[in-house]
Amino acid sequence: MELSIIIPIYNTELFKLERCFASVKNIIGPEYECLLIDDGSGFVVAEFCKEYAEKNQNFKYIRKLNRGVSSARNEGIIRAKGRYIYFVDSDDEIIPSFFCNITDIANEPDLIFTDLILVDENRKSRWSGITELSYEKIIERMIMDGKLNGPYAKFWKTEFLKQNNVMFDEQMVSGEDAFFLLSCIEYKPKMEYINVDTYFYHKEIKSGENRIAKDPQQCVEDCQKKYYKILTCIEKGRYNKKQKRFLNIKEVEQLIRELFDLQMTMVKINVLKPEIQDDFVQIIDDLDKNDLKQISIKNKLRVNIVTKTNMNLKKTIANLRKCYIRIKGLG
């Protein structure tokens, strides 16, 4: 079998499931299986998925206890029989026209990058382009723009993942996608990039807020965990001293932006408790002071806002940020 498509599902709206499954059904060519990993959904969603699998022989329904999206994806990896794995979220779609060519790729790379189309409030933008495929360049891209971070629009060689025990971190509730890619890249996979769109990513702000509301403290810890993972990857790369210094500072800036955005969302949904505020401050305190001196003025301002305990100030900034995002059409 050439391909295992893994779809984790938890109480997704039925019209989104139908949209997602229909896009997979349009695959023509390679022998494939579509694993519907039901992570403890309610009766209606569970029955819909079960009946869909019964009516479509390429689809297989697998029910498990609710343990989160990472656990569901890991279940899919364990059960996958295809030569390659392709991850799809249940509220997204694939663009199946390229999938027929997966068997024609020479040299059987361990990781194949393709492109995706971001769909946000009925606007579409293409996330594309990898100028150089090397360990060092992939790490740089992950630090500089984050567009490679998700598991989407990538074909992962099943044997490579299983041999190296590359799995999703089930303790993380945010940032687990980038962490998974970093864990894979650390093993220096043979990589290839194909300039073709294979995925529609439907951006939904509410889903991110729900994760934060469910376990805000873990989200803060996840930011720091991913930060240290990237520092480890930088250290393993063939960079000179100047390049490492530059990337370390850029990653500090990336962490600060993530902490700021996370904290402002917590203020917005009213889950920023004193003990969580202390966690933010501790992460900033743990950063290298020389690195902090080199960050941009904008990020120094973010540090100041994040570490302040004045909740009225934070609420004002959060409201201004909300207006800015709305005006820019970013959410």
Side-chain angles (χ1 to χ4, degrees):
M1 184 177 293
E2 292 301 313
L3 186 62
S4 293
I5 295 174
I6 297 173
I7 307 180
I9 299 160
Y10 179 68
N11 288 335
T12 309
E13 295 170 275
L14 296 189
F15 83 91
K16 293 178 182 177
L17 290 176
E18 178 64 46
R19 180 181 67 190
C20 178
F21 298 171
S23 70
V24 173
K25 274 182 66 177
N26 286 330
I27 292 176
I28 298 175
E31 183 184 2
Y32 76 92
E33 62 178 358
C34 182
L35 305 180
L36 308 180
I37 313 295
D38 181 0
D39 191 42
S41 297
F43 177 80
V44 173
V45 170
E47 284 299 301
F48 177 85
C49 295
K50 185 177 179 181
E51 290 178 10
Y52 203 98
E54 289 172 352
K55 294 176 182 177
N56 298 275
Q57 63 178 3
N58 292 107
F59 287 69
K60 298 178 181 178
Y61 175 72
I62 299 160
R63 174 82 173 181
K64 62 182 292 298
L65 295 175
N66 176 248
R67 291 184 58 195
V69 64
S70 291
S71 175
R73 287 174 178 157
N74 287 341
E75 184 73 23
I77 293 172
I78 292 167
R79 291 175 177 263
K81 296 179 180 178
R83 190 160 59 99
Y84 284 96
I85 286 172
Y86 189 91
F87 295 103
V88 184
D89 277 359
S90 57
D91 52 359
D92 293 331
E93 306 167 71
I94 69 165
I95 305 170
S97 54
F98 168 76
F99 284 68
C100 62
N101 298 321
I102 189 67
T103 58
D104 300 329
I105 298 172
N107 302 321
E108 292 201 11
D110 302 311
L111 177 56
I112 304 168
F113 293 88
T114 63
D115 299 321
L116 65 80
I117 295 175
L118 174 67
V119 182
D120 182 11
E121 296 292 326
N122 297 317
R123 295 185 302 275
K124 295 181 180 179
S125 57
R126 189 168 188 254
W127 284 10
S128 64
I130 298 177
T131 56
E132 183 181 332
L133 275 178
S134 68
Y135 173 94
E136 287 74 20
K137 289 299 180 182
I138 295 299
I139 297 301
E140 286 177 30
R141 276 290 302 272
M142 293 184 72
I143 293 169
M144 301 304 290
D145 69 19
K147 290 183 178 180
L148 297 181
N149 290 5
Y152 322 111
K154 302 174 183 68
F155 293 85
W156 311 78
K157 194 172 185 182
T158 308
E159 182 182 17
F160 181 86
L161 294 182
K162 291 184 176 181
Q163 282 184 346
N164 294 295
N165 195 31
V166 177
M167 305 286 275
F168 287 88
D169 188 323
E170 297 184 15
Q171 302 305 312
M172 299 180 75
V173 297
S174 65
E176 73 282 355
D177 293 347
F179 201 88
F180 177 77
L181 178 56
L182 290 166
S183 298
C184 179
I185 296 297
E186 279 187 292
Y187 287 99
K188 307 293 178 69
K190 183 167 57 178
M191 297 180 287
E192 185 161 337
Y193 166 64
I194 300 173
N195 184 14
V196 62
D197 302 323
T198 66
Y199 198 88
F200 277 123
Y201 174 58
H202 293 270
K203 183 180 179 182
E204 295 192 10
I205 293 174
K206 283 295 181 183
S207 62
E209 290 181 358
N210 290 339
R211 282 193 182 196
I212 294 169
K214 186 176 181 180
D215 197 341
Q217 196 154 23
Q218 184 62 52
C219 288
V220 180
E221 293 174 10
D222 289 346
C223 282
Q224 187 178 44
K225 189 172 187 176
K226 182 167 70 71
Y227 166 72
Y228 283 125
K229 183 74 164 179
I230 290 184
L231 292 191
T232 299
C233 290
I234 293 171
E235 193 59 36
K236 289 181 179 180
R238 291 176 294 182
Y239 303 109
N240 61 40
K241 188 175 180 180
K242 184 177 179 180
Q243 289 170 326
K244 285 184 178 180
R245 177 73 175 150
F246 172 79
L247 291 174
N248 280 336
I249 293 171
K250 287 299 177 183
E251 183 52 29
V252 168
E253 293 194 316
Q254 176 68 12
L255 172 65
I256 290 168
R257 285 193 296 270
E258 288 180 2
L259 290 174
F260 174 78
D261 290 343
L262 177 59
Q263 189 176 94
M264 291 302 100
T265 301
M266 287 185 183
V267 172
K268 175 185 173 184
I269 62 178
N270 197 30
V271 296
L272 181 61
K273 307 302 180 185
E275 61 272 18
I276 300 176
Q277 171 64 29
D278 291 342
D279 289 340
F280 279 104
V281 173
Q282 187 61 57
I283 290 174
I284 298 295
D285 284 345
D286 288 343
L287 294 175
D288 187 290
K289 299 302 182 289
N290 289 325
D291 288 346
L292 287 174
K293 290 178 182 177
Q294 300 299 315
I295 63 176
S296 68
I297 294 175
K298 184 183 290 187
N299 280 308
K300 287 178 180 177
L301 179 60
R302 288 185 175 118
V303 167
N304 193 38
I305 294 168
V306 167
T307 54
K308 293 293 185 185
T309 57
N310 188 325
M311 188 55 69
N312 288 330
L313 171 65
K314 292 182 189 293
K315 288 180 179 178
T316 300
I317 299 297
N319 287 330
L320 290 172
R321 175 176 173 270
K322 182 179 177 181
C323 293
Y324 173 81
I325 289 172
R326 187 181 295 123
I327 292 169
K328 287 290 187 179
L330 300 176

